[in-house]
Amino acid sequence: MAFQVAGMNSIRCLRPIAQTAACSSPAKHACIAKHLGFAKNVGGSTRKLQARKFSRSTMVAKVSADGVAVDRFEYTEDEIMKKQKQIQRKFLVEKNLVAPQPALHQQTVRSSFIRKGVGLHSGAPVTVRVRPALAGEGRYFVIVPSGTIDDEETFPDDTELSPEEAEEVKLEFFKMSLLDDEEREQREKELFPDMDLNLDKPAEQEAAVKGTAGETRIPAHLNSVVSERLTLCTKLTAGGATVSTVEHLLSALEASGVDNARIEVEDGFELPILDGSADGWVSGIVDCGVVAAETAGGERMPRKALQPKLPIVVQNGDSFIMLNPEAKTRLTYIVDFTQKSTAIGKQTFSWCQQEDHPYGMELALARTFTTMEDVEVARAAGLIKGGSPVNALIADGSEYFNPPLRYNEEPVRHKMLDLIGDLALMAEGGNGGLPTGHVVAYKAGHDLHVKFAKALVEASKAADW
């Protein structure tokens, strides 16, 4: 038995499904709710995913808008439960996730959210809390003492279903897909009488954090980037404090319109790699929502972004990044790994913030990737201590070591995810980081991303810009 995840009339809203009637205890309710794709947010609402029977051997996720099909994602039956949350987040695109048009005023998160994991290179456990910030403060990091952040996770990671419970979940997926909206809502009330199914209930808005006197803030800005060559990640430093591997979180914040945020890092200096993508950060933004940011005096501030009038190119060997003036924000990325892995080979992907499907659908799920050859070199150098097939896509010659892929062009999409995170460092004072124009990157990396961003900011100071 396998299923197809079905998009509803609008890609911005997913109707809920209920859990199996066999549940008889709160603990079991929570357990099965987790595996059905429920995600409890700080406002108390729950979100789920609808599914339809599709084939006997694979699970294929697919959605279409205006008749245009989006990528297919295939999973073996054994992976259905583990991939459920990832698939849910791909289609959970709401008004609080990504606004197709840039906001007129600066924004921040409605409330705090927490993520825990290990650093990709250090392997050390770390906890991160993203909190609201005042308009004009921008995005900044603060290293906080151990014990500062309380864990607010709803479902423990070690909650697992028995084979019998997993079969009940699959059966309920199928049964619920046969009902119309009215019947489904009634069924949900019968099976889930104690759970709040109000999907529109917002999280309680949290006041912006002002911080403490004398604390060291690391601005998420180009001036904070370390001078050493950036190869594997982006690292920031200020006042003797350092934070690294910031690109995935900054990418999610920038693309989601979170211009101001206080990011507290506990028990480490490297942000957690999570599953190797920006999905874990996006899910936190989705759960808590995005609101207009205000100054300490209660005023809103306009959101500005660079609008170059002239082309600019930064090159290193055969790698380059260029920008051509345009009225919209458009990104194109090209990679060529033919010499290292024909599985990756040559890939190209383009995305326009104002025209295409949102970041949460097109880019957020793309994982960091590498080749088996590079894994061995990095291990020998004492790096990627927290890396594993769980949080990275690994290419081995003409095939992938740990399929399936989440997108047909997952590697190049992840490179674009990284590019957005690095260009987000152009943001200052709560303004936007992504420039207006068409940015084209060819065989680039973090080092060239940052050099391009610095060149763009410097060029913008000229009178004809």
Side-chain angles (χ1 to χ4, degrees):
M1 179 76 69
F3 307 88
Q4 177 181 12
V5 175
M8 304 305 292
N9 294 332
S10 168
I11 61 172
R12 293 183 177 279
C13 179
L14 291 178
R15 294 298 305 164
I17 60 173
Q19 69 183 81
T20 173
C23 294
S24 58
S25 68
K28 192 173 182 182
H29 271 254
C31 180
I32 292 187
K34 173 189 176 183
H35 288 268
L36 275 172
F38 283 84
K40 192 174 188 303
N41 72 11
V42 293
S45 64
T46 54
R47 295 176 170 83
K48 296 130 284 185
L49 200 61
Q50 184 186 17
R52 291 179 184 167
K53 183 177 180 180
F54 186 75
S55 66
R56 295 184 59 82
S57 60
T58 61
M59 180 177 183
V60 181
K62 183 178 180 181
V63 68
S64 62
D66 301 326
V68 180
V70 182
D71 295 291
R72 297 159 66 90
F73 300 79
E74 297 189 1
Y75 304 103
T76 63
E77 189 173 41
D78 291 339
E79 294 172 317
I80 288 177
M81 292 299 107
K82 293 182 180 179
K83 297 296 182 183
Q84 182 59 46
K85 182 177 179 181
Q86 297 166 355
I87 299 172
Q88 175 205 20
R89 292 305 185 186
K90 172 178 170 59
F91 296 107
L92 188 55
V93 182
E94 303 177 337
K95 63 181 180 180
N96 282 337
L97 174 54
V98 177
Q101 301 292 335
L104 296 177
H105 294 92
Q106 295 183 17
Q107 301 181 127
T108 188
V109 288
R110 177 184 289 274
S111 56
S112 301
F113 69 90
I114 296 172
R115 290 295 179 265
K116 303 178 70 173
V118 298
L120 173 61
H121 301 294
S122 66
V126 61
T127 301
V128 173
R129 177 166 58 186
V130 179
R131 308 182 71 179
L134 295 172
E137 287 190 311
R139 299 178 285 251
Y140 64 92
F141 296 86
V142 179
I143 308 299
V144 298
S146 180
T148 301
I149 302 175
D150 293 328
D151 189 354
E152 299 174 357
E153 287 292 331
T154 303
F155 300 118
D157 292 337
D158 58 354
T159 305
E160 297 293 343
L161 295 179
S162 67
E164 293 78 13
E165 290 170 334
E167 287 302 317
E168 291 175 1
V169 171
K170 295 177 186 179
L171 178 60
E172 193 60 38
F173 269 138
F174 176 59
K175 289 165 61 178
M176 294 298 293
S177 70
L178 301 178
L179 304 178
D180 60 30
D181 287 351
E182 185 175 344
E183 292 173 329
R184 189 180 304 111
E185 290 180 2
Q186 181 59 37
R187 182 64 170 161
E188 289 168 355
K189 293 178 182 178
E190 295 174 356
L191 299 179
F192 232 179
D194 298 325
M195 182 167 282
D196 182 3
L197 298 178
N198 179 11
L199 299 185
D200 297 322
K201 182 178 179 180
E204 181 179 350
Q205 187 164 345
E206 182 180 324
V209 180
K210 298 181 180 179
T212 59
E215 69 179 10
T216 298
R217 294 186 176 185
I218 308 173
H221 187 263
L222 290 171
N223 294 336
S224 302
V225 178
V226 295
S227 58
E228 66 188 55
R229 181 174 174 81
L230 305 173
T231 53
L232 299 178
C233 67
T234 302
K235 185 184 297 184
L236 308 177
T237 185
T242 300
V243 62
S244 65
T245 319
V246 300
E247 57 271 16
H248 297 176
L249 172 55
L250 293 181
S251 181
L253 293 173
E254 174 69 23
S256 302
V258 181
D259 311 302
N260 302 277
R262 175 186 173 89
I263 306 161
E264 298 175 342
V265 184
E266 178 184 281
D267 294 332
F269 62 89
E270 182 182 18
L271 268 61
I273 188 62
L274 302 180
D275 71 344
S277 74
D279 181 50
W281 303 115
V282 169
S283 68
I285 299 170
V286 169
D287 286 348
C288 66
V290 178
V291 296
E294 297 181 346
T295 64
E299 299 178 350
R300 295 184 179 183
M301 295 180 64
R303 184 183 192 271
K304 303 177 182 179
L306 285 180
Q307 296 181 314
K309 298 178 182 178
L310 298 174
I312 184 171
V313 180
V314 174
Q315 188 171 1
N316 182 21
D318 64 343
S319 302
F320 69 85
I321 305 179
M322 63 181 294
L323 179 142
N324 286 319
E326 187 178 324
K328 298 178 180 179
T329 298
R330 191 183 308 274
L331 305 174
T332 297
Y333 215 113
I334 306 150
V335 299
D336 185 355
F337 279 77
T338 307
Q339 299 300 318
K340 284 191 173 185
S341 169
T342 55
I344 301 174
K346 299 176 181 178
Q347 298 183 7
T348 302
F349 186 73
S350 291
W351 178 71
C352 178
Q353 188 178 29
Q354 290 83 15
E355 295 177 350
D356 297 326
H357 293 302
Y359 176 91
M361 292 179 64
E362 298 286 9
L363 298 171
L365 279 156
R367 295 163 292 175
T368 189
F369 67 97
T370 186
T371 64
M372 192 63 73
E373 177 184 355
D374 288 341
V375 167
E376 295 172 354
V377 172
R379 290 284 190 186
L383 300 173
I384 61 171
K385 296 177 181 178
S388 74
V390 174
N391 54 37
L393 180 62
I394 305 171
D396 189 7
S398 61
E399 59 185 12
Y400 286 98
F401 174 76
N402 56 335
L405 275 67
R406 298 177 181 177
Y407 303 99
N408 290 334
E409 327 87 344
E410 187 171 355
V412 71
R413 293 194 192 214
H414 184 81
K415 294 291 286 186
M416 186 176 290
L417 184 158
D418 280 346
L419 175 63
I420 293 172
D422 290 335
L423 294 185
L425 295 170
M426 291 194 293
E428 188 174 16
N431 291 308
L434 284 178
T436 299
H438 186 182
V439 177
V440 180
Y442 176 71
K443 295 175 64 174
H446 293 297
D447 191 55
L448 198 58
H449 293 171
V450 171
K451 288 180 179 178
F452 171 76
K454 289 183 176 180
L456 192 58
V457 170
E458 188 63 28
S460 69
K461 299 176 182 178
D464 55 358
W465 273 53

